[in-house]
Amino acid sequence: MLRYFNDSGYRFLPVEPEYAAAVDDLPPHHRDPFDRILVAQALVEPMRLMTHDPMVARYNDTIIEV
């Protein structure tokens, strides 16, 4: 299965210490730790994050609610 993602051009991003540290700087819009690490990762990289969760989309204008 991992080969499919690699062949499709997806990039795997490990959880780096700077992502974990950036979680502390996030406002408390959302309490789910996995969502918060995704937000921190998107902000640190920087990259766009797409979500169906309106609470996650509140973190930054680079997070797109779909």
Side-chain angles (χ1 to χ4, degrees), residues 26-32 36 53-60:
L26 294 176
H29 298 320
H30 202 280
R31 297 180 60 103
D32 184 304
R36 289 175 60 81
D53 188 331
M55 296 305 289
V56 171
R58 291 178 60 196
Y59 281 104
N60 191 288

Side-chain angles (χ1 to χ4, degrees), residues 5-57:
F5 289 105
N6 287 325
D7 291 347
S8 298
Y10 287 97
R11 184 173 66 146
F12 291 97
L13 295 173
V15 176
E16 300 290 346
E18 49 271 33
Y19 307 152
V23 168
D24 275 345
D25 296 331
L26 294 176
H29 298 320
H30 202 280
R31 297 180 60 103
D32 184 304
F34 185 77
D35 285 344
R36 289 175 60 81
I37 198 73
L38 287 175
V39 168
Q41 185 179 42
L43 297 175
V44 168
E45 278 301 320
M47 63 177 55
R48 296 239 184 230
L49 174 63
M50 296 183 352
T51 181
H52 285 289
D53 188 331
M55 296 305 289
V56 171

